[in-house]
PDB file of all heavy atoms in Angstrom:
ATOM      1  N   TYR A  53     -18.776   3.196   1.015  1.00 96.00           N
ATOM      2  CA  TYR A  53     -18.249   3.426   2.349  1.00 96.00           C
ATOM      3  C   TYR A  53     -18.877   2.425   3.326  1.00 96.00           C
ATOM      4  O   TYR A  53     -20.083   2.204   3.334  1.00 96.00           O
ATOM      5  CB  TYR A  53     -18.519   4.852   2.806  1.00 96.00           C
ATOM      6  CG  TYR A  53     -17.672   5.853   2.066  1.00 96.00           C
ATOM      7  CD1 TYR A  53     -18.153   6.495   0.923  1.00 96.00           C
ATOM      8  CD2 TYR A  53     -16.370   6.128   2.470  1.00 96.00           C
ATOM      9  CE1 TYR A  53     -17.373   7.397   0.225  1.00 96.00           C
ATOM     10  CE2 TYR A  53     -15.576   7.027   1.777  1.00 96.00           C
ATOM     11  CZ  TYR A  53     -16.076   7.656   0.663  1.00 96.00           C
ATOM     12  OH  TYR A  53     -15.296   8.530  -0.039  1.00 96.00           O
ATOM     13  N   GLU A  61     -15.258   5.691   8.516  1.00 96.00           N
ATOM     14  CA  GLU A  61     -15.812   5.053   7.326  1.00 96.00           C
ATOM     15  C   GLU A  61     -14.690   4.662   6.374  1.00 96.00           C
ATOM     16  O   GLU A  61     -13.905   5.508   5.941  1.00 96.00           O
ATOM     17  CB  GLU A  61     -16.792   5.989   6.623  1.00 96.00           C
ATOM     18  CG  GLU A  61     -18.106   6.166   7.369  1.00 96.00           C
ATOM     19  CD  GLU A  61     -19.118   6.907   6.533  1.00 96.00           C
ATOM     20  OE1 GLU A  61     -18.714   7.807   5.765  1.00 96.00           O
ATOM     21  OE2 GLU A  61     -20.320   6.586   6.636  1.00 96.00           O
ATOM     22  N   GLY A 115      -5.915   8.335  -0.220  1.00 97.00           N
ATOM     23  CA  GLY A 115      -7.154   8.419  -0.984  1.00 97.00           C
ATOM     24  C   GLY A 115      -8.354   8.756  -0.119  1.00 97.00           C
ATOM     25  O   GLY A 115      -8.365   9.755   0.610  1.00 97.00           O
ATOM     26  N   ARG A 116      -9.366   7.889  -0.175  1.00 96.00           N
ATOM     27  CA  ARG A 116     -10.586   8.079   0.599  1.00 96.00           C
ATOM     28  C   ARG A 116     -10.564   7.324   1.916  1.00 96.00           C
ATOM     29  O   ARG A 116     -11.589   7.064   2.520  1.00 96.00           O
ATOM     30  CB  ARG A 116     -11.801   7.655  -0.255  1.00 96.00           C
ATOM     31  CG  ARG A 116     -12.091   8.635  -1.364  1.00 96.00           C
ATOM     32  CD  ARG A 116     -13.120   8.140  -2.356  1.00 96.00           C
ATOM     33  NE  ARG A 116     -13.437   9.202  -3.315  1.00 96.00           N
ATOM     34  CZ  ARG A 116     -12.653   9.572  -4.319  1.00 96.00           C
ATOM     35  NH1 ARG A 116     -11.503   8.935  -4.518  1.00 96.00           N
ATOM     36  NH2 ARG A 116     -12.999  10.557  -5.121  1.00 96.00           N
ATOM     37  N   GLY A 117      -9.365   6.972   2.355  1.00 97.00           N
ATOM     38  CA  GLY A 117      -9.213   6.235   3.605  1.00 97.00           C
ATOM     39  C   GLY A 117      -9.468   7.100   4.826  1.00 97.00           C
ATOM     40  O   GLY A 117      -9.564   8.329   4.755  1.00 97.00           O
ATOM     41  N   VAL A 119      -8.833   9.247   7.996  1.00 97.00           N
ATOM     42  CA  VAL A 119      -7.775  10.154   8.450  1.00 97.00           C
ATOM     43  C   VAL A 119      -7.794  10.144   9.975  1.00 97.00           C
ATOM     44  O   VAL A 119      -8.566  10.862  10.608  1.00 97.00           O
ATOM     45  CB  VAL A 119      -7.962  11.578   7.901  1.00 97.00           C
ATOM     46  CG1 VAL A 119      -6.799  12.472   8.337  1.00 97.00           C
ATOM     47  CG2 VAL A 119      -8.065  11.562   6.381  1.00 97.00           C
ATOM     48  N   ARG A 206      -3.606  18.899   6.680  1.00 97.00           N
ATOM     49  CA  ARG A 206      -3.502  19.003   5.227  1.00 97.00           C
ATOM     50  C   ARG A 206      -4.049  17.756   4.542  1.00 97.00           C
ATOM     51  O   ARG A 206      -4.687  17.838   3.475  1.00 97.00           O
ATOM     52  CB  ARG A 206      -2.039  19.231   4.824  1.00 97.00           C
ATOM     53  CG  ARG A 206      -1.435  20.512   5.357  1.00 97.00           C
ATOM     54  CD  ARG A 206      -2.159  21.753   4.843  1.00 97.00           C
ATOM     55  NE  ARG A 206      -2.001  21.945   3.418  1.00 97.00           N
ATOM     56  CZ  ARG A 206      -1.022  22.652   2.864  1.00 97.00           C
ATOM     57  NH1 ARG A 206      -0.101  23.226   3.634  1.00 97.00           N
ATOM     58  NH2 ARG A 206      -0.952  22.790   1.553  1.00 97.00           N
ATOM     59  N   VAL A 207      -3.807  16.593   5.130  1.00 97.00           N
ATOM     60  CA  VAL A 207      -4.372  15.349   4.579  1.00 97.00           C
ATOM     61  C   VAL A 207      -5.892  15.384   4.647  1.00 97.00           C
ATOM     62  O   VAL A 207      -6.581  15.015   3.689  1.00 97.00           O
ATOM     63  CB  VAL A 207      -3.822  14.124   5.337  1.00 97.00           C
ATOM     64  CG1 VAL A 207      -4.535  12.849   4.893  1.00 97.00           C
ATOM     65  CG2 VAL A 207      -2.321  13.975   5.109  1.00 97.00           C
ATOM     66  N   GLN A 208      -6.420  15.852   5.760  1.00 97.00           N
ATOM     67  CA  GLN A 208      -7.878  15.946   5.914  1.00 97.00           C
ATOM     68  C   GLN A 208      -8.472  16.942   4.928  1.00 97.00           C
ATOM     69  O   GLN A 208      -9.572  16.718   4.394  1.00 97.00           O
ATOM     70  CB  GLN A 208      -8.222  16.353   7.341  1.00 97.00           C
ATOM     71  CG  GLN A 208      -9.722  16.420   7.632  1.00 97.00           C
ATOM     72  CD  GLN A 208     -10.400  15.078   7.468  1.00 97.00           C
ATOM     73  OE1 GLN A 208     -10.056  14.119   8.154  1.00 97.00           O
ATOM     74  NE2 GLN A 208     -11.383  14.985   6.572  1.00 97.00           N
ATOM     75  N   GLU A 209      -7.737  18.000   4.651  1.00 96.00           N
ATOM     76  CA  GLU A 209      -8.197  19.003   3.685  1.00 96.00           C
ATOM     77  C   GLU A 209      -8.368  18.385   2.295  1.00 96.00           C
ATOM     78  O   GLU A 209      -9.371  18.611   1.619  1.00 96.00           O
ATOM     79  CB  GLU A 209      -7.197  20.160   3.646  1.00 96.00           C
ATOM     80  CG  GLU A 209      -7.569  21.287   2.708  1.00 96.00           C
ATOM     81  CD  GLU A 209      -6.528  22.381   2.706  1.00 96.00           C
ATOM     82  OE1 GLU A 209      -5.814  22.525   3.724  1.00 96.00           O
ATOM     83  OE2 GLU A 209      -6.407  23.087   1.683  1.00 96.00           O
ATOM     84  N   VAL A 210      -7.379  17.597   1.877  1.00 96.00           N
ATOM     85  CA  VAL A 210      -7.482  16.927   0.578  1.00 96.00           C
ATOM     86  C   VAL A 210      -8.600  15.909   0.601  1.00 96.00           C
ATOM     87  O   VAL A 210      -9.401  15.810  -0.341  1.00 96.00           O
ATOM     88  CB  VAL A 210      -6.140  16.252   0.214  1.00 96.00           C
ATOM     89  CG1 VAL A 210      -6.291  15.400  -1.039  1.00 96.00           C
ATOM     90  CG2 VAL A 210      -5.060  17.307   0.005  1.00 96.00           C
ATOM     91  N   ARG A 211      -8.672  15.136   1.677  1.00 95.00           N
ATOM     92  CA  ARG A 211      -9.711  14.096   1.799  1.00 95.00           C
ATOM     93  C   ARG A 211     -11.106  14.725   1.714  1.00 95.00           C
ATOM     94  O   ARG A 211     -12.001  14.181   1.044  1.00 95.00           O
ATOM     95  CB  ARG A 211      -9.528  13.354   3.125  1.00 95.00           C
ATOM     96  CG  ARG A 211     -10.662  12.410   3.515  1.00 95.00           C
ATOM     97  CD  ARG A 211     -10.756  11.239   2.558  1.00 95.00           C
ATOM     98  NE  ARG A 211     -11.867  10.372   2.908  1.00 95.00           N
ATOM     99  CZ  ARG A 211     -13.118  10.591   2.554  1.00 95.00           C
ATOM    100  NH1 ARG A 211     -13.426  11.668   1.835  1.00 95.00           N
ATOM    101  NH2 ARG A 211     -14.064   9.750   2.911  1.00 95.00           N
ATOM    102  N   SER A 212     -11.308  15.847   2.357  1.00 94.00           N
ATOM    103  CA  SER A 212     -12.626  16.496   2.372  1.00 94.00           C
ATOM    104  C   SER A 212     -13.002  17.065   1.016  1.00 94.00           C
ATOM    105  O   SER A 212     -14.188  17.271   0.725  1.00 94.00           O
ATOM    106  CB  SER A 212     -12.651  17.615   3.424  1.00 94.00           C
ATOM    107  OG  SER A 212     -12.406  17.094   4.711  1.00 94.00           O
ATOM    108  N   SER A 213     -12.009  17.323   0.168  1.00 93.00           N
ATOM    109  CA  SER A 213     -12.279  17.915  -1.141  1.00 93.00           C
ATOM    110  C   SER A 213     -12.672  16.880  -2.185  1.00 93.00           C
ATOM    111  O   SER A 213     -13.109  17.242  -3.280  1.00 93.00           O
ATOM    112  CB  SER A 213     -11.040  18.677  -1.638  1.00 93.00           C
ATOM    113  OG  SER A 213      -9.995  17.779  -1.977  1.00 93.00           O
ATOM    114  N   LEU A 214     -12.515  15.600  -1.864  1.00 92.00           N
ATOM    115  CA  LEU A 214     -12.792  14.559  -2.843  1.00 92.00           C
ATOM    116  C   LEU A 214     -14.290  14.352  -3.007  1.00 92.00           C
ATOM    117  O   LEU A 214     -15.064  14.524  -2.067  1.00 92.00           O
ATOM    118  CB  LEU A 214     -12.140  13.236  -2.414  1.00 92.00           C
ATOM    119  CG  LEU A 214     -10.622  13.247  -2.252  1.00 92.00           C
ATOM    120  CD1 LEU A 214     -10.138  11.897  -1.745  1.00 92.00           C
ATOM    121  CD2 LEU A 214      -9.940  13.604  -3.573  1.00 92.00           C
ATOM    122  N   SER A 234      -5.402  12.111  -5.142  1.00 96.00           N
ATOM    123  CA  SER A 234      -6.353  11.943  -4.036  1.00 96.00           C
ATOM    124  C   SER A 234      -5.640  11.594  -2.726  1.00 96.00           C
ATOM    125  O   SER A 234      -6.247  11.664  -1.652  1.00 96.00           O
ATOM    126  CB  SER A 234      -7.386  10.862  -4.371  1.00 96.00           C
ATOM    127  OG  SER A 234      -6.803   9.569  -4.381  1.00 96.00           O
TER     128      SER A 234
END
Side-chain angles (χ1 to χ4, degrees):
Y53 289 94
E61 288 189 325
R116 288 170 174 76
V119 183
R206 298 298 293 270
V207 173
Q208 183 62 61
E209 181 181 334
V210 172
R211 170 66 182 83
S212 299
S213 70
L214 300 177
S234 70

